[in-house]
Amino acid sequence: MKRASLFLLAVLVLGATCAYAGDPFPDLALGGKLDEDQRAYLGVASDSFKLSDIRAEYLFIEAYSMYCPICQRDAPHVNEAFEAIAAADKAGRIRFLGLALGNTPFEVEFYRKKYAVQFPLFGDEDYVIHKALGEVPTPAFYVVKLGPEPEILFKKVGEAEGTEALLQAIKEHTGI
Amino acid sequence: MLKKIVFTIIVGLLATASYADKLTIYQLPELKPRDSVLKVKVGNPAPDFELPSITGERVRLSSFKGKSNVVLSFVPAAWTPVCSDQWPGYNIALSLFEQHDAVLLGISEDNTPSQYAWSEAMGTLKFPVLSDFWPHGAAASSYGVLRSDGTSERALFVIDRQGIIRYIDVHDINRRPDLGVLIQELCKLKK
């Protein structure tokens, strides 16, 4: 009986740690002020598009807020991960983007300048994205496989725990 | 043995969920958006007060008269959801306040030790955090933003160098004000 309980417990715990893998990621409608380089980076023709319109195999997504102290602390790590991947992924298989949950255009722009963020950031003034993501706390990091129905390969809620941890997650789930 | 394992796993999972390391938030239900009546309006002299800060000094509003503009940010309570991100947001945007010769003063009705612990958990706030704990809510009451449960409204007051109130936003307590709107109001102040 005790052995069976332990086995059940182990299954539950292992299941919990990878519970997100294979879950769908919402095909969000994204909009914002993108410059030409950012549109080219995402492979989209206009400033308003759906997540599945992005031309890449994978997305690395940070759901953050300008107001979240952990997101502020993590910003340099995410930037470093972006730079490392940009250097390694010449074929453009993965793209980075930030979803500024509950943030207005002013707040998105302030954060972009404050932390010199080079990848595209999208605001969420009316919390529509926040709701679509199940009101996830910030920061949350995702590796998503793109396709007609985007799929979560990795999700982590909470502190990034350094640049290497982010790079490891990307490498493990995309091979990049 | 099984109990120990279950306990260890539960503690581990809880630690993962409380991702904000030291910052544990007390969740609140949706509150009545507003629960007070303003006693001041734009164009009025700002009621003076002197309150203790978490750095041990006492801060008097009138000490800024003739020197700098002031933004008063009243927040309802330490360790609660919206307050715990509003001030960290202002904390990284202090340069925007400085560009408009404005000093930010944060005020809540909590006592100083609680404010200090909260500030440290949020990553050390670099603007004065003032306690309106005793006589309880006197400053908030003088502006008409003390709620019936002893907390304050989520309210912003922009006060110019002459000590005159130039902008008031008594916000829905459940929502965070847009920083952009506040900075626009600072832009309107005379240089």
Side-chain angles (χ1 to χ4, degrees):
Chain A
M1 180 63 188
K2 194 180 265 187
R3 192 176 286 179
S5 301
L6 279 170
F7 176 74
L8 182 63
L9 201 58
V11 169
L12 284 173
V13 169
L14 287 173
T17 54
C18 57
Y20 304 116
D23 281 1
F25 189 88
D27 194 8
L28 302 168
L30 297 174
K33 205 175 169 186
L34 298 179
D35 62 30
E36 204 171 310
D37 288 346
Q38 289 175 326
R39 281 197 296 273
Y41 174 74
L42 297 176
V44 294
S46 71
D47 286 357
S48 297
F49 53 90
K50 293 188 92 172
L51 189 95
S52 57
D53 293 334
I54 296 171
R55 264 188 280 149
E57 283 178 61
Y58 303 101
L59 289 178
F60 177 83
I61 297 172
E62 181 191 17
Y64 79 99
S65 166
M66 177 205 124
Y67 291 91
C68 149
I70 303 170
C71 306
Q72 296 165 7
R73 286 205 300 270
D74 275 347
H77 299 305
V78 181
N79 283 345
E80 284 169 11
F82 168 76
E83 285 167 19
I85 292 296
D89 177 32
K90 296 296 182 198
R93 294 173 60 206
I94 187 166
R95 293 309 192 205
F96 275 51
L97 58 90
L99 303 174
L101 305 184
N103 288 187
T104 64
F106 180 93
E107 292 160 348
V108 172
E109 189 58 12
F110 173 77
Y111 185 90
R112 189 186 65 74
K113 281 187 185 159
K114 175 86 183 176
Y115 295 105
V117 179
Q118 294 179 59
F119 54 88
L121 303 176
F122 296 91
D124 178 37
E125 191 167 1
D126 300 323
Y127 291 87
V128 172
I129 295 175
H130 190 223
K131 286 193 181 80
L133 296 181
E135 302 192 347
V136 67
T138 56
F141 303 94
Y142 300 85
V143 176
V144 171
K145 183 166 175 50
L146 278 172
E149 293 174 355
E151 179 190 328
I152 298 172
L153 301 179
F154 167 82
K155 176 181 174 183
K156 175 180 167 48
V157 175
E159 198 161 1
E161 293 170 9
T163 309
E164 282 307 315
L166 296 176
L167 290 173
Q168 181 59 35
I170 293 170
K171 188 177 174 185
E172 195 176 310
H173 293 90
T174 68
I176 295 169
Chain B
M1 179 64 181
L2 184 60
K3 275 184 186 170
K4 268 189 181 176
I5 292 170
V6 170
F7 178 76
T8 308
I9 289 168
I10 288 172
V11 168
L13 290 175
L14 284 176
T16 310
S18 62
Y19 64 94
D21 45 39
K22 289 180 284 181
L23 189 56
T24 304
I25 301 298
Y26 181 80
Q27 295 299 331
L28 291 167
E30 186 90 354
L31 300 171
K32 186 179 174 185
R34 190 166 173 171
D35 183 32
S36 61
V37 178
L38 270 174
K39 294 178 182 170
V40 293
K41 58 184 181 183
V42 170
N44 285 171
D48 197 17
F49 56 76
E50 185 183 274
L51 295 172
S53 88
I54 56 173
T55 54
E57 302 146 357
R58 294 186 70 82
V59 174
R60 178 169 282 279
L61 176 64
S62 55
S63 69
F64 298 99
K65 204 169 175 180
K67 295 177 190 164
S68 54
N69 303 307
V70 175
V71 175
L72 303 182
S73 168
F74 285 92
V75 296
W79 308 102
T80 57
V82 182
C83 309
S84 297
D85 65 11
Q86 185 178 348
W87 282 1
Y90 293 169
N91 203 39
I92 61 164
L94 291 177
S95 60
L96 296 180
F97 292 82
E98 287 160 11
Q99 281 168 25
H100 300 285
D101 299 322
V103 170
L104 173 65
L105 302 178
I107 305 170
S108 81
E109 313 314 304
D110 306 284
N111 66 4
T112 301
S114 176
Q115 287 182 328
Y116 173 78
W118 183 46
S119 167
E120 289 301 302
M122 289 188 288
T124 308
L125 300 178
K126 300 186 194 87
F127 56 88
V129 173
L130 309 180
S131 169
D132 192 21
F133 181 70
W134 201 258
H136 192 81
S141 179
S142 68
Y143 284 75
V145 291
L146 186 66
R147 292 171 68 97
S148 59
D149 63 358
T151 63
S152 77
E153 300 288 1
R154 187 176 314 287
L156 295 165
F157 294 86
V158 173
I159 300 163
D160 71 13
R161 278 190 199 78
Q162 285 69 48
I164 304 298
I165 297 172
R166 294 298 173 200
Y167 172 70
I168 300 172
D169 174 13
V170 182
H171 216 74
D172 176 345
I173 195 169
N174 305 291
R175 308 279 175 266
R176 188 181 54 227
D178 176 5
L179 177 63
V181 173
L182 176 59
I183 300 303
Q184 272 176 4
E185 292 300 324
L186 290 176
C187 289
K188 293 177 187 171
L189 299 176
K190 285 179 191 160
K191 285 276 177 190

